[in-house]
Amino acid sequence: MSADRLELPQGTLDLLILKTVALEPQHGWAISERLHQISSATLQIRQGSLYPALHRMERRGWIKARWGISENNRRAKYYELTRKGRAQLEAETDAWRRLTAAVAHVLESV
Amino acid sequence: MLTDLVLRLRALFTRRSVEHEIDEELRFHLDRQVEAYERAGLEHADAVRRARLEFGGLEQVKEEYRDALGVRLIDDLRRDARLAIRSLRATPVVTVVAVLSLGLVIGANTAIFSILNGLLLRALPVHQPARLVHVTDSVVRDTGETRVRAWAYPAWEQILQRRHLFEATTAWSFTRLNLGAGGETQLVEGIWADGGFFETLGVPAVLGRTFSARDDQRDGGPDGPVALINYGYWQRHLGGAADVLGRSVRLDGVPFTIVGVAPPEFFGVEVGRSFDFIVPLRTEALLRGRDSALDSASTNFLSILARLKPGQSLEAAIAELRRAQPQIREATLGPWSKEVADRYLTSPFTLVPATTGYSNLRSSYERPLLIVTVLVALVLLIGCLNVANLLLARAIARRHELSVRLALGASRGQLARQLLAEGLALAIAGAALGLLLAPYSSRFLVRQLSTPATRVFLDVSIDGAVLAFTVVVTAVTVLLFGTAPAFRAARVQPVGALKEQGRASIEQARGGLMGWLVAVQVALSVVLVVAAGLFIGSFTSLANRQLGLQPDQVLVVTVDPQRANVDPAQRVALYERVRDAVVALPNVAGAAISYLTPVGGGGFTPPVEISGIAPSGSPSTPELIAADGNVFGNLTSPGWFGTFGTPLIAGGDFVEADRQGAPRVVIVNETFARRFFGGGSALGGTIIVYPNTPRALPARIVGVAADAVYASPREPVPPTWYLPMAQFDVPGFPFATVRLSVRAEAGSPELLTRSVAAAVARVNPHLTLTFRPLADQLHASLTRERLMAQLGGFFGGLALLLAALGLYGVTAYAISRRRTEIGIRMALGAAPAAVVRLVLTRVSLLVGAGVVAGAGISMWASRFVDGLIYGLPARDPTTLAGAAIVMASVGLLAGWLPARRAARIDPVTVLRES
C-alpha cells in the first residue's frame, strides 16, 4: 500500500466507473482492477465502496446490470453503460475538464 | 425514475433474493482478489487477510450496499414494527391493559363523533346537496339562526307556479299514517311529497319507480294513489320480498299501491327522522277529507325546498324570490287579524342552505352533543395519560436492555424510534378495537333518543369523515403517550444502567414526570365528575319538579275521527258521548276531553284581549295581549282539571250547562291571574279570544286553576286560559283530533286500554285511538336531560376509575423503585406509619394540586353549560365541593393501598437483595 494515495474528491468515483464501463460491460472486480491499474495505484479507493456506488448508478439509469458467466466460469454481475449513462459520462467529463482547467488557471495566476 | 422505482420495489418485495445476490457478488469480488494476491505470491491466509483489508469490512460494505438499495427507511420501519410487536408480546399484561383502555377511549370518541357527523356535518344523501335551499322567511331564533318555517298549501302553490325562480322546487311534510284497520292505531312514519320531490332531490328508486307530478293528484294519478316504501322497512317488515311492487297497503284506510323502493341511504330531508312510506302530497285530501290541510290557508305544515339553477348564487336567488314576494303574499292572505296580516305581508322571504338538511333534533341536541364531545375528549386525554404512565414505567424497567443496545451501537434516535413504534402499535390496536366498538355504542345512544312518540333515525355509519377523525385521534394519542417513554429512553445513561441491573438507586425515584401526569389526570377527572354532578342534578331537579298535576294515573288517548265520517259540527257531541261512556267504566276515576294535553306537544296561541277589574277596584281599559305566542290556551270539558289532578284555587270548574247558548265562561291559571290582574281576584274579569274579528269570543272568568305544566317541564308555566270545548264554535276550527284523558282509580293506567277501546268502539267503531300514559310522555320529554345525566355519570365514573388506577399504578411503581431505601429506613428504626406518611405526602400533593386545578377549570368551563342545567347554577358550589371530595377520597385511597404494602416491607429481605 502506497503511503501517498490520493483521496477521491466527492462524486468522482461515479465518473471513473462510467468511463471504465464505457468500453465494454464488466463485473465489479474487473472495474476495481482496471481502476487500480490505470491510476497506477495512486487513487485510494476502498474496493467495497464500489458496489454501493454501482447500485446507485444503476438506480439512476446510467448503467444496467446483468448476471453472466465470468472468465473463470463463475456467476458474476456485469455492468454496462446505458444511453443515459453515456450522456452523463460526456457531461461529467466535460465538467471535470472545465473545473480542473479553471482551478489550474487560478493556481498559476495567483 | 422508472428504473429507480422498479429496483426499489424489487428490493422491497424480493428481499431475500436481493440479499443473496449481494452476497454472491461480493464473494465473487473477494475470491478474485484473493486469487490475484495468491498469484502475486502471497500465502492463502495472507491473501485473504489482505483482500479483506483492501475491501473494507464485508458486513460494513453490505450495510452500505443496503443503504444504496433505497429502502432503508422502510427496512428500519419494518424492523421497528417487528421488534415493537415482539417486545409488546413479552409484557402481555401491560399490553392488554393499554390496548383495552385505548380501545375504550378511542371508541368512545369515535362513537360520539359519528353521532356528531350524522347530525351536524353530513350532507344529505341526494344529488348535489350543496345546491339545495330551504324557502323560509326572515324570523331569527334567539340562537341567531334563521328559523326554517313551514308553509300553508296555498303559499306552496304560488311558489310552484313560478318556475322561473329556481331550477326545481318541491314541498314535503312529515306525517303519521295509520296502518291499522280500526280501533287502536298502528302508526308509521310518512312523508307527503310533492310530485317533483324525487326529481328535485335527484333521488332514484332502487326498485320500481318514483312518483312524479302525474301521480300527485287529489284522487291519485293514473295508477291511483301510489307510495314509495322505505328500503329498511321493506327488508324488515316485508322480508325484502321481490314482489313488493304492485302490492297494496292501507294507509289511514285508503289503499295505496307500492310502486317503488327508496334507496337504502335515503331518509328524507329531515335529519333525525326517517320515513316508512312516501306518498304524493295531494293525496292528503283523500286521507283527511274534510279536514284536508290543502284547503286551509293557515295550516302551516309544508317545508319548501328548492334547487338553485346552475351558476345561480344564493343572493341572486333570494333577490328574485323577494321580487315575486308581494304577489305571493297577497294571494295567500288568510282571514287573520290586522297585526298578523301585517307581519305576514312584510316579513321578507329568504333562502337558507339545505346541504345538511333540516333538523329539529339538531336544535335540541347540538349543544349537548358538543359538550359531550368535549367530555369524551377529556376522557381520551385521561386514558392516554394512563397509558403514558404505563409505558414510562415499562421503559424505565427496560433501562438495562436499552443501555445494552446503546453500548452495542444503536443511536438514541433509533431507540426512541423503536419505542415510538411500540406506542404506534398499541395505538393502532386500540384504534382498531375502538372502531369495532364505536358503531354499537353510537347506535345504542341514538336509540336512547327515540321515544314512543318520536322515532329518531340517524345515520351514524362510519364514513370517510369518521375514519379521518379516528386517524387523527389515534395520532394524537400516540403523540401523547408514545413520545414520553421515547424521550425517556433517549436519556438513558448506559454505564449507570448497566451497573444497576435494573434496581433502584439512591436517586430520588424519578416519579417526577409520572407524578405530574397523574396530577393532570386528577384535574381532568374532577372536571368530568363536576360535569356529571351538574347533569345528574339537572335531571333530578327537572324530574322532581312540581308539575301542578298528578301524572301517574293518567292515560291520554288521542282520538281521530277521520274515518268516522262525522260532520265537524257534530264532533264535539260525539266526543262528549265517548267521554260519558268511558267515565262509566269500572276503575275509572274520571275522564275528560280536551284539545291539548300537558306535555302533549303543540301549543294554542290565538290572540286574546283582557279586560277586568283593576287593583283599584274599577274596571280597567281593555289590554290587548299581542299574539306573540306568550299566552297559551286550551279547550277542555268539565272534569278535566280533576282528571289531571290540578286543583282549582278559586271559583269552580266548567259544568255541563256551559255549552252553546249559555253565557260564555273561561278559566285561567295562577300565572295568568297574577300577570294580568295583579294581586286582585281574576274572577269576574273578561277575556276576548280572537278580538276584533268576526269570530271573537268574549268570556267571563269563573275559575282560577293552579299552575300546571303546559308544553315542557323545562319552561316556566305560561299564562294559560281554558275555554269549554262545547262553547268553542269558531267556524272552520276542525277539531280533527282531540285527546281523551282518563284517570285510573288504582293500578297502572295502561290496564285501562282495553276497556276504554271497547267503550269507545261501542259509541263509534270508526274512531281511531292512540294510547299513551301521561307518565310516558313526561318521561320522553326529559330524554335529553336524562341522556346527559347518564352519559355524564358514565364518563365521570370512568374518569374517576382511570385516575384512581393511574394513581395506584404510579404510587405502587414509585414504592417498588424505592424498596431499598424504604428497607434501609425501616432497618434504621423508622416506624411503618412514618413510611406510609412518606408515601402519602407525595400522593396528597399530587391529588391536591389536581383537585385545585380541576376545580379551577370547572369554574371557567361552566359558562358553556349555561342554559342546559336546570335547578342548579352552573357554578354550583355544592357540586364542586362534592366532586372535589369524591376525587380526593378516591385518590387518597388509591394511594393508600400501595402505601400500606410499603409499610410491610421486610427490611431484612430487601437488604439481602442488594
Side-chain angles (χ1 to χ4, degrees), chain B residues 156-176:
Chain B
W156 157 239
E157 281 198 305
Q158 290 294 318
I159 297 199
L160 183 60
Q161 281 166 16
R162 292 173 169 74
R163 299 196 174 280
H164 62 278
L165 288 175
F166 306 105
E167 174 164 329
T169 180
T170 186
W172 60 277
S173 170
F174 260 98
T175 182
R176 288 287 179 89

Side-chain angles (χ1 to χ4, degrees), chain A residues 36-52:
Chain A
H36 189 78
Q37 285 169 8
I38 292 183
S39 73
S40 312
T42 318
L43 295 178
Q44 180 182 336
I45 306 173
R46 205 187 56 169
Q47 290 180 10
S49 55
L50 264 180
Y51 290 93

Side-chain angles (χ1 to χ4, degrees), chain B residues 385 511-521 842 845-846 849-850:
Chain B
L385 289 174
L513 177 61
M514 293 170 71
W516 289 114
L517 287 184
V518 166
V520 172
Q521 270 185 309
R842 185 168 164 82
L845 179 63
L846 292 176

Side-chain angles (χ1 to χ4, degrees), chain B residues 879-901:
Chain B
T879 311
L880 274 174
I885 291 175
V886 166
M887 186 71 238
S889 334
V890 167
L892 283 174
L893 180 67
W896 177 73
L897 286 172
R900 208 175 50 142
R901 277 218 323 263

Side-chain angles (χ1 to χ4, degrees), chain A residues 46-47 51 59 74 79, chain B residues 4 25 29 31-32 64:
Chain A
R46 205 187 56 169
Q47 290 180 10
Y51 290 93
R59 274 174 56 197
R74 278 184 63 179
Y79 297 91
Chain B
D4 182 34
E25 193 180 5
H29 182 116
D31 290 344
R32 291 295 294 266
E64 273 178 58

